[in-house]
Amino acid sequence: MIVELGHFALVLALALALVQSVLPLIGARVGDARLMETGSTTALGGFVMLALAFAALTHAYVVSDFSVLNVAENSHSAKPLLYKITGVWGNHEGSMLLWVLILSFFGALVALFGRDLPASLKANVLSVQAWITVAFLLFILLTSNPFARLDPPPFEGNDLNPILQDIGLAIHPPMLYLGYVGFSIAFSFAVAALIDGRIDAAWARWVRPWTLVAWVFLTAGIAMGSYWAYYELGWGGWWFWDPVENASFMPWLSGTALLHSALVMEKRSALKIWTVLLAILTFSLSLLGTFLVRSGVLTSVHAFATDPTRGVFILGILCVFVGGSLALFALRASSLEGGGLFAPISREGALVFNNLFLTTACATVLIGTLYPLVLEVTTGAKISVGPPFFNLTFGPLMLPLLFAVPFGPLLAWKRGDLLGAAQRLYFAAGAAFVAVLFVMAITQGAAILSALGVGLAVWLMIGSFVDLWGRASFAKAGFSNALRRLAGLPRSVFGTAIAHFGLGATLLGIVAVGAFGTETVTTMAPGQTVHAGGWGVRFEGLAPRDGPNFTEEVGRFTILDGTSEAGRIESARRLYTARQQPTTEAGISTHLFSQVYVALGDAVANGGQTVVRIWTKPLVTLIWLGCVAMAIGGLVSLSDRRLRIGAPARAKRRGGRPIAEPAE
């Protein structure tokens, strides 16, 4: 009965979304406040219905209701409770339901917190958001119904894909979807403004917080997915330029450009056309990622579906929304004003420079991802575009951008002083030079490019805080006065510095692992020690062990630093009994920011030995810690009152009574 209620709630959500997609839009055209207000009511109601549907599917998984086809195909009664819950979105149908739930959640947030939006803009935004919801609810109900029944039901389920039975799955997909789908709000604002024919700095002020929220979640989601693949797949890598990895990375690049472009538009009323176009393209790339994952055109550990019918349906959604929004943009673009003028050397100029390189890099990743697919469709030829292509094209595009990042916050709006900014960065440049010399000294000059990479990372990390140092006037105001000035700075300034520092930390981790990491593949017998990358790894032996829905053979290892013990880890070869599918569970020993990574291979016949892969990875955790810092920087910026929709800045009258006045 609960399953039927969930299905009925899904149908009701579609009905509410249809109402939301039409009535507020009509109300905005005719100026009817009551019709416009239906958008808020239906948005909240639709979210409640989708939450009920999702709860019903979750209940079916928790109680192992194998009369539901989706549960029978992706669950097992012996599976731990945590993985029964995460299994709800560990499959195509359930993940699409989560996708639409998050979509309606953002619409409900606009309904709740958009009270200060102009009524017509809010109504148009909610209508556009409802168009997307209707399309994907139709997709779910017509091609991917998560509540389809089995008659008769099987006694036992097929179990969830073993590589998805991990705590990372509880975190990675929801965060990734919050990022993907969060950009739908920026898209809805862009299309709504184009419908209204009015785009100004106030519009950018409304868009930027929603974009920042989506960007924070997408950053965290990509980082979590990278770390999950790193430790779960037993391959020792953190990024492979997999097409589905690229599908999440492209919206991140475009969304980063959108954030910076919206800042220029808000502060200087410039880059209006650029900002609207980026808002459309960022969500379009999110839709493209959805198509790639679920159409069956890609074979990937991340891909869900292989049904071409579903792929054609999503391709239709992609064409309608991307084509329709770009057509509307083309229709309105000529009527949009260019905005304020600025000199090439200015903060606006620096942000334009940033955006040009980010969008070019995004286009490069897009071409490398789609070219093999297009070539196969048009000629039948199959080629592979892998890491060498992306490393040779994406890397050089990032170098000038990363070098320019510390300059941006130091330049004034409209017209800046490049020489003055460079003088303030002397200390960062000196530290970067020392880092380069240090790396060359310890490698006897054998790693020049790596040394330059480390220097660039240090330049980024130290340069990110130069703006804070200058604003607080530590060199002139005295330490106590400087601390007071520092505490009074807007939080968005701190957020920018933290995010840029995180970018430098991630770069440092990437360079260190790529240049100084080692890989050793050998056979080991119990009691044998292998030395790799300055560490000793002693194999203690193998032992069998049973899990709730798997059996495994566990290898125990001791990590040695010289002759002293530095840690103990376990690696395993695991077999999930329901699917008879093996997995590799890597053992990882973390030492500050570095790691020793051990994965078991197959046993050697009649030899009493086991194949073992050992990686040493210096500073590898900085890759993900830097991403965490970027996300924290975004959250700090989001806490700035000037980024809260409708939140006025506080001021005081001369008599001390607080009043409200608009934030700057």
Side-chain angles (χ1 to χ4, degrees):
M1 183 63 180
I2 293 178
V3 171
E4 279 67 36
L5 287 174
H7 193 187
F8 184 60
L10 205 56
V11 174
L12 284 179
L14 174 60
L16 289 169
L18 285 168
V19 173
Q20 181 186 337
S21 65
V22 176
L23 293 187
L25 187 65
I26 295 175
R29 303 319 305 163
V30 302
D32 190 321
R34 290 177 299 177
L35 286 179
M36 287 190 283
E37 189 56 33
T38 59
S40 297
T41 306
T42 51
L44 294 171
F47 170 67
V48 171
M49 290 299 104
L50 283 167
L52 288 174
F54 191 80
L57 184 61
T58 304
H59 177 268
Y61 268 85
V62 170
V63 301
S64 296
D65 184 355
F66 298 125
S67 69
V68 179
L69 175 62
N70 184 257
V71 179
E73 290 181 341
N74 299 284
S75 193
H76 193 279
S77 58
K79 193 169 62 173
L81 178 61
L82 173 63
Y83 301 141
K84 287 182 179 180
I85 295 173
T86 59
V88 176
W89 55 79
N91 59 87
H92 169 72
E93 293 82 1
S95 65
M96 283 309 305
L97 184 57
L98 176 63
W99 204 98
V100 180
L101 175 64
I102 294 174
L103 185 67
S104 68
F105 171 68
F106 277 103
L109 287 180
V110 173
L112 286 173
F113 299 106
R115 292 185 295 270
D116 295 322
L117 278 169
S120 62
L121 177 60
K122 180 181 176 182
N124 286 333
V125 167
L126 291 175
S127 283
V128 175
Q129 193 77 1
W131 298 346
I132 306 169
T133 305
V134 167
F136 279 96
L137 282 175
L138 286 172
F139 172 72
I140 291 173
L141 289 169
L142 296 178
T143 71
S144 310
N145 183 9
F147 298 107
R149 288 283 197 178
L150 278 175
D151 186 23
F155 178 74
E156 190 56 84
N158 293 335
D159 206 1
L160 180 66
N161 187 339
I163 64 172
L164 301 181
Q165 295 188 39
D166 183 82
I167 187 64
L169 186 68
I171 305 170
H172 168 53
M175 280 193 171
L176 199 63
Y177 291 174
L178 283 165
Y180 264 164
V181 182
F183 284 122
S184 68
I185 295 295
F187 174 85
S188 296
F189 267 95
V191 174
L194 289 172
I195 292 172
D196 257 353
R198 185 180 64 185
I199 300 175
D200 52 21
W203 175 87
R205 195 176 189 83
W206 294 109
V207 169
R208 198 151 70 96
W210 298 104
T211 304
L212 189 54
V213 168
W215 183 87
V216 166
F217 280 114
L218 187 58
T219 302
I222 292 174
M224 184 65 242
S226 168
Y227 191 65
W228 168 75
Y230 168 75
Y231 72 77
E232 177 63 23
L233 300 183
W235 64 313
W238 58 274
W239 191 264
F240 192 67
W241 293 106
D242 179 285
V244 181
E245 289 176 337
N246 297 347
S248 62
F249 189 44
M250 289 185 290
W252 186 87
L253 291 170
S254 180
T256 305
L258 172 60
L259 269 180
H260 292 87
S261 184
L263 175 64
V264 176
M265 183 175 172
E266 178 188 339
K267 297 293 185 183
R268 297 282 302 138
S269 294
L271 303 184
K272 292 181 181 180
I273 298 175
W274 187 240
T275 305
V276 173
L277 182 61
L278 282 173
I280 293 172
L281 292 180
T282 300
F283 184 61
S284 298
L285 290 170
S286 296
L287 291 178
L288 176 64
T290 303
F291 168 72
L292 292 175
V293 174
R294 301 171 192 284
S295 62
V297 300
L298 295 178
T299 300
S300 168
V301 68
H302 304 85
F304 278 119
T306 57
D307 184 353
T309 304
R310 293 169 174 172
V312 171
F313 200 115
I314 297 181
L315 184 60
I317 294 174
L318 185 65
C319 291
V320 167
F321 283 99
V322 177
S325 58
L326 290 178
L328 180 60
F329 173 79
L331 186 65
R332 294 286 195 181
S334 60
S335 63
L336 299 178
E337 296 180 358
L341 299 176
F342 52 87
I345 303 300
S346 63
R347 188 174 300 188
E348 296 97 324
L351 293 172
V352 170
F353 180 86
N354 164 85
N355 284 6
L356 287 174
F357 276 89
L358 281 173
T359 51
T360 304
C362 182
T364 300
V365 177
L366 179 65
I367 292 170
T369 303
L370 295 185
Y371 178 71
L373 303 178
V374 174
L375 186 67
E376 183 176 355
V377 169
T378 55
T379 67
K382 293 186 177 182
I383 65 168
S384 176
V385 176
F389 167 81
F390 292 105
N391 293 338
L392 288 174
T393 55
F394 183 84
L397 284 171
M398 287 293 99
L399 291 178
L401 172 62
L402 294 174
F403 177 77
V405 165
F407 283 94
L410 301 179
L411 295 173
W413 293 105
K414 197 172 181 179
R415 184 180 298 276
D417 181 3
L418 185 60
L419 178 61
Q423 289 174 340
R424 295 171 65 183
L425 288 167
Y426 277 167
F427 181 76
F433 183 68
V434 170
V436 171
L437 293 180
F438 175 76
V439 173
M440 292 184 67
I442 63 175
T443 61
Q444 286 80 48
I448 297 176
L449 292 179
S450 300
L452 293 174
V454 171
L456 181 59
V458 172
W459 161 262
L460 261 175
M461 290 189 291
I462 296 180
S464 63
F465 291 107
V466 169
D467 184 41
L468 291 177
W469 180 273
R471 286 177 180 243
S473 297
F474 276 95
K476 299 178 181 179
F479 188 75
S480 59
N481 288 334
L483 284 180
R484 284 194 292 271
R485 291 169 63 97
L486 190 66
L489 292 178
R491 292 180 188 175
S492 59
V493 178
F494 288 96
T496 300
I498 294 169
H500 288 174
F501 179 85
L503 180 61
T506 294
L507 176 62
L508 181 58
I510 292 171
V511 172
V513 170
F516 310 118
T518 66
E519 179 182 0
T520 304
V521 182
T522 185
T523 57
M524 297 184 71
Q528 183 179 349
T529 299
V530 171
H531 294 278
W535 297 93
V537 179
R538 186 171 66 228
F539 182 33
E540 305 295 352
L542 293 171
R545 187 164 63 192
D546 292 333
N549 59 337
F550 60 84
T551 60
E552 62 181 349
E553 197 169 25
V554 180
R556 295 182 171 87
F557 297 85
T558 299
I559 308 301
L560 304 172
D561 184 5
T563 58
S564 60
E565 182 177 317
R568 295 187 179 187
I569 58 175
E570 292 183 348
S571 299
R573 295 190 297 260
R574 185 175 289 181
L575 178 67
Y576 284 81
T577 53
R579 293 199 176 202
Q580 288 296 300
Q581 182 173 334
T583 65
T584 299
E585 304 297 318
I588 300 174
S589 179
T590 301
H591 307 275
L592 194 57
F593 299 121
S594 302
Q595 290 183 335
V596 179
Y597 184 111
V598 181
L600 285 180
D602 296 328
V604 178
N606 302 321
Q609 294 184 321
T610 300
V611 175
V612 178
R613 289 178 176 267
I614 303 169
W615 288 270
T616 60
K617 297 182 173 295
L619 305 184
V620 67
T621 59
L622 288 181
I623 295 173
W624 303 292
L625 291 175
C627 293
V628 171
M630 283 189 268
I632 291 173
L635 291 175
V636 172
S637 292
L638 196 62
S639 69
D640 194 320
R641 283 188 61 82
R642 299 179 303 171
L643 276 182
R644 297 183 208 165
I645 294 177
R650 289 191 177 92
K652 288 188 176 182
R653 297 184 188 275
R654 292 182 179 179
R657 178 180 297 177
I659 61 171
E661 60 183 25
E664 65 178 48

